């Protein structure tokens, strides 16, 4: 309970930047975890409601806020873009949500030492935009820069959220995950002090969901962007076969010399390739929408049809490959680069065809690249209003058990929901299998029960088959029970020592 006096103090300090209308409190108490939509529909009022929202203008105000929160014993829940999909930014026991959106400035770009300092609430696309501007400091360089982190949610997520969820961008096999990209953090600790965190200490913040402090500024690496890129796409006959050759694909991606190109690959099973995969033209029709609503009532039937269509070659798994020159490409001549990339493309064509893949040109891979930030969340919301749930599930899978995890999750869930999957983020002998489930009950209550069942069955099946939960979506309320099971209690004991009871409590 926040006392009237404490509330008044907050209002006096933040004025218009303190909000406590029911609409604001509801908006800032949810992220994009689908379960919250079910809860919102059946619970009035919503049970995980914040007591208020403040929008600090800078680090000084966050320091004041933390001291106020400690004095009054009020939880603080930092919130970046609110694009998390696991309920990590939900105020479980009330408290004040810190809307970080005004901490959106760029503090400096150092092209010589290749880093950028940004405030933690800036949206990712604004960072990329700043890195593409020609300034007196970089006009002599012939290329643009990137921070190398490109989640599909780039335009709706922030560095604070990336660090707190341990996010991974679509080019993680080139630049690494967010852990590889952050050089230093400025944060406010529970005493309200400003801290500069570097090196090994950074682990106090990765995947900690804001429970160890409020991140206020972030120093990130930047990289020159090569103007060259090469795209390849391959079709296969059978999804399981395609999943089974990932180890061979990973060997093709290995770099032995500094001049070796980097590769990004994505492998879609046949149903995911047909439904979510890259397209050269958007072929979705009204008939397809109607068929979807009808077929989702009979998921087993739809999964069987998909298997039959795959057997007849009507839908096929798809492997897309992007080849990019080494990060210090400027040391090579254009001719050297094009030879290196052509050689890598040749190796892919040669090896993948020996594993039964058919080269189908570059268009589909290019279509993936061009549409990589096209957000699909609006479709999820639209379908939810029509009584259909669409949920995703990201797993970290050692390359040795890709087929086991893929098969186990499909078998566990295909009796009650439609299951699609793609595989990406091949780094250090692991990858991410990203499942999408869709289902529909006869009414909202039944749909929610089905949703819970699918999430539970898939998580258990994945862990039993050797996967870790999660890959890049963070833990949050959605995964906390399974994460304990997957990581063991030691990880939680270790993280416990970094946490403060005041910051985003009752999460990890
Ligand atoms: C359509 C869509 C596509 C997506 N694609 C990807 C993808 O490709 N890769 C990927 O990794 N994720 C993806 N996500 C998930 C999501 O974008 C990431 O989890 C992202 O890192 C969340 O950032 P955010 O700023 O929105 O954080 P929020 O959702 O606001 O918060 C997430 C967590 O971070 C904490 N937090 C936020 N800011 C701070 C801060 N300043 N200090 C301390 N803690 C803080 C919050 O308390 C919370 O625990 C996607 C989501 C959607 C909806």
């Amino acid at each position: 309970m926040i006392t009237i006096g404490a509330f008044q103090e907050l209002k006096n300090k933040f004025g218009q930047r303190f909000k406590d209308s029911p609409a604001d409190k509801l908006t800032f108490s949810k992220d994009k975890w689908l379960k919250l939509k079910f809860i919102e529909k059946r619970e009035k009022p919503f049970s995980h409601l914040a007591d208020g929202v403040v929008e600090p203008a800078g680090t000084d105000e966050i320091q004041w806020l933390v001291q106020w929160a400690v004095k009054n014993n009020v939880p603080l829940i930092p919130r970046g873009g609110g694009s998390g999909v696991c309920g990590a930014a939900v105020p479980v026991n009330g408290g004040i949500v810190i809307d970080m959106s005004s901490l959106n400035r760029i503090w400096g770009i150092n092209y010589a030492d290749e880093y950028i300092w940004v405030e933690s609430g800036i949206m990712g696309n604004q960072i990329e935009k700043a890195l593409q501007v020609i300034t007196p400091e970089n006009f002599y360089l012939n290329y643009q820069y990137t921070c190398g982190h490109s989640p599909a949610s780039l335009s709706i997520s922030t560095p604070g959220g990336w660090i707190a969820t341990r996010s991974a961008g679509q080019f993680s096999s080139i630049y690494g995950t967010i852990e590889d990209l952050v050089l230093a953090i400025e944060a406010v600790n529970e005493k309200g002090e400003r801290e500069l965190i570097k090196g090994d200490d950074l682990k106090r913040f990765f995947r900690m969901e804001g429970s160890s402090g409020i991140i206020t500024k972030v120093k990130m690496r930047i990289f020159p962007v090569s103007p060259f890129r090469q795209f390849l796409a391959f079709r296969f006959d059978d999804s399981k076969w395609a999943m089974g050759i990932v180890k061979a694909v990973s060997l093709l991606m290995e770099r032995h010399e500094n001049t070796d190109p980097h590769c990004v690959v994505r492998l879609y099973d046949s149903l995911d390739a047909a439904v979510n995969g890259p397209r050269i033209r958007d072929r979705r029709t009204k008939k397809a929408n109607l068929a979807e609503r009808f077929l989702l009532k009979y998921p087993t039937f739809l999964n069987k049809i998909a298997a039959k269509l795959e057997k007849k070659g009507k839908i096929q798994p798809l492997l897309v490959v992007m080849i990019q020159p080494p990060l210090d490409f400027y040391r090579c001549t254009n001719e050297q680069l094009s030879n290196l990339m052509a050689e890598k493309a040749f190796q892919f064509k040669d090896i993948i065809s020996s594993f039964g893949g058919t080269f189908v040109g570059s268009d589909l891979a290019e279509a993936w690249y061009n549409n990589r930030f096209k957000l699909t969340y609006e479709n999820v919301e639209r379908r939810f209003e029509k009584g259909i749930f669409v949920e995703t599930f990201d797993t970290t899978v050692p390359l040795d058990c890709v087929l086991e995890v893929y098969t186990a999750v499909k078998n566990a869930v295909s009796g009650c929901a439609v299951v699609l999957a793609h595989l990406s983020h091949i780094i250090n002998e692991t990858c991410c299998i990203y499942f999408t489930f869709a289902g529909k009950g006869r009414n909202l209550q039944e749909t929610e029960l089905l949703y819970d069942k699918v999430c539970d069955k898939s998580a258990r099946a994945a862990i039993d088959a050797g996967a870790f939960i999660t890959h890049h979506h963070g833990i949050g309320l959605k995964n906390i029970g399974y994460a304990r099971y997957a990581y063991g209690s030691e990880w939680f004991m270790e993280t416990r020592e970094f946490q403060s009871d005041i910051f985003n409590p009752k999460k990890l």
Side-chain angles (χ1 to χ4, degrees):
M1 268 299 270
I2 308 179
T3 63
I4 296 174
F7 253 126
Q8 198 51 50
E9 224 184 318
L10 212 52
K11 280 183 189 168
N12 293 345
K13 175 79 181 169
F14 290 97
Q16 298 279 315
R17 291 179 291 122
F18 170 79
K19 300 171 202 149
D20 63 350
S21 75
D24 283 327
K25 288 198 293 191
L26 183 62
T27 304
F28 284 89
S29 296
K30 295 179 296 175
D31 63 4
K32 298 214 180 297
W33 181 30
L34 194 69
K35 177 77 181 176
L36 299 172
K37 286 200 167 291
F38 286 110
I39 299 178
E40 194 188 343
K41 287 256 180 204
R42 73 174 142 76
E43 265 185 13
K44 303 271 184 263
F46 187 68
S47 53
H48 303 317
L49 213 54
D51 294 299
V53 182
V54 295
E55 193 187 321
T59 307
D60 293 355
E61 287 192 346
I62 293 182
Q63 289 181 269
W64 182 93
L65 188 62
V66 171
Q67 282 158 3
W68 171 90
V70 171
K71 186 173 74 185
N72 295 291
N73 197 21
V74 177
L76 292 176
I77 300 93
R79 179 188 171 93
S83 72
V85 286
C86 301
V90 175
V92 182
N93 279 2
I96 298 295
V97 169
I98 314 179
D99 170 7
M100 300 294 292
S101 61
S102 285
L103 276 85
N104 60 4
R105 283 153 292 213
I106 290 178
W107 279 72
I109 305 177
N110 185 325
Y111 293 99
D113 294 330
E114 299 192 333
Y115 67 80
I116 184 169
W117 266 110
V118 294
E119 286 186 332
S120 64
I122 188 171
M123 294 295 168
N125 59 342
Q126 297 304 319
I127 305 177
E128 289 300 309
K129 215 165 143 191
L131 289 171
Q132 286 162 12
V133 173
I134 305 293
T135 66
E137 288 82 43
N138 72 1
F139 82 100
Y140 60 91
L141 300 170
N142 263 335
Y143 26 79
Q144 295 176 333
Y145 275 76
T146 175
C147 75
H149 192 63
S150 57
S153 55
L154 190 74
S155 61
I156 54 169
S157 61
T158 65
W162 298 340
I163 293 167
T165 55
R166 204 195 142 265
S167 163
Q170 296 169 93
F171 302 147
S172 60
S173 56
I174 301 179
Y175 303 104
T177 69
I178 194 68
E179 281 171 315
D180 305 300
L181 298 170
V182 170
L183 297 167
I185 290 174
E186 181 200 80
V188 176
N189 65 22
E190 68 176 336
K191 292 185 191 136
E193 297 162 342
R194 225 178 250 238
E195 273 190 284
L196 181 67
I197 297 117
K198 294 191 254 184
D200 225 25
D201 266 0
L202 288 168
K203 72 172 184 214
R204 283 166 43 201
F205 287 85
F206 290 118
R207 207 189 252 160
M208 292 302 293
E209 309 199 331
S211 61
S212 53
I214 313 295
I215 302 162
T216 47
K217 292 197 191 88
V218 182
K219 180 182 179 185
M220 292 181 74
R221 287 179 205 283
I222 58 170
F223 307 88
V225 182
S226 157
F228 300 105
R229 234 160 256 122
Q230 191 160 349
F231 297 96
L232 310 168
F234 300 87
R235 290 284 191 187
F236 292 85
D237 291 335
D238 180 87
S239 295
K240 284 192 183 161
W241 172 265
M243 292 285 166
I245 66 152
V246 169
K247 188 92 184 171
V249 175
S250 79
L251 293 177
L252 280 166
M253 295 169 72
E254 272 181 10
R255 300 179 68 239
H256 302 286
E257 307 283 338
N258 284 344
T259 49
D260 282 350
H262 289 276
C263 307
V264 175
V265 305
R266 276 169 99 84
L267 173 62
Y268 299 82
D269 74 4
S270 55
L271 196 52
D272 207 4
V275 177
N276 291 326
R279 292 175 193 175
I280 294 159
R281 260 170 277 111
D282 199 349
R283 284 172 283 131
R284 206 168 173 87
T285 60
K286 273 191 178 167
K287 269 188 196 159
N289 287 336
L290 270 175
E292 172 189 282
R293 284 174 74 180
F294 170 75
L295 287 168
L296 280 172
K297 289 186 189 164
Y298 309 101
T300 322
F301 183 54
L302 182 51
N303 287 323
K304 275 187 187 152
I305 293 185
K308 276 199 177 145
L309 288 175
E310 182 176 279
K311 261 198 185 134
K312 288 186 177 168
K314 301 273 185 206
I315 57 173
Q316 286 183 300
L318 174 70
L319 173 71
V320 295
V321 180
M322 182 183 96
I323 303 172
Q324 189 173 297
L327 297 178
D328 55 356
F329 60 90
Y330 40 82
R331 294 184 203 281
C332 303
T333 63
N334 287 355
E335 195 188 341
Q336 280 170 324
L337 289 178
S338 89
N339 287 343
L340 287 166
M341 307 232 303
E343 196 185 321
K344 184 53 84 180
F346 175 79
Q347 287 171 6
F348 261 95
K349 286 181 192 165
D350 188 30
I351 302 292
I352 299 297
S353 64
S354 73
F355 279 100
T358 307
F359 177 60
V360 290
S362 61
D363 290 358
L364 283 167
E366 229 165 314
W368 160 73
Y369 179 81
N370 291 332
N371 294 308
R372 67 194 186 282
F373 296 124
K374 232 184 192 175
L375 296 177
T376 49
Y377 195 74
E378 285 73 24
N379 289 341
V380 173
E381 289 182 323
R382 194 171 43 78
R383 292 197 171 108
F384 182 80
E385 291 310 321
K386 290 180 178 164
I388 299 167
F389 75 77
V390 179
E391 179 58 300
T392 57
F393 170 50
D394 60 315
T395 55
T396 302
V397 183
L399 292 183
D400 291 336
C401 32
V402 166
L403 190 54
E404 286 82 349
V405 173
Y406 174 72
T407 313
V409 173
K410 276 204 87 147
N411 288 347
V413 177
S414 55
C416 45
V418 178
V419 191
L420 339 167
H422 69 258
L423 181 153
S424 54
H425 302 288
I426 299 182
I427 327 171
N428 300 336
E429 291 293 308
T430 64
C431 65
C432 167
I433 305 187
Y434 189 93
F435 294 94
T436 303
F437 308 120
K440 187 178 188 322
R442 276 172 300 186
N443 52 42
L444 191 68
Q445 197 185 6
E446 230 180 57
T447 306
E448 185 175 359
L449 283 174
L450 185 64
Y451 169 87
D452 290 342
K453 185 168 153 187
V454 166
C455 292
D456 185 52
K457 280 187 154 209
S458 54
R460 286 173 195 280
I463 294 168
D464 287 346
F468 288 86
I469 295 174
T470 66
H471 185 273
H472 53 269
H473 280 172
I475 294 173
L477 295 173
K478 180 183 177 197
N479 294 313
I480 184 70
Y482 307 108
R484 275 185 203 288
Y485 183 31
Y487 295 102
S489 45
E490 256 171 49
W491 185 76
F492 284 91
M493 296 301 282
E494 199 193 331
T495 58
R496 191 70 209 131
E497 80 183 73
F498 309 140
Q499 294 177 33
S500 151
D501 291 338
I502 217 82
F503 299 131
N504 205 3
K506 297 257 160 83
K507 288 288 164 45
L508 293 179

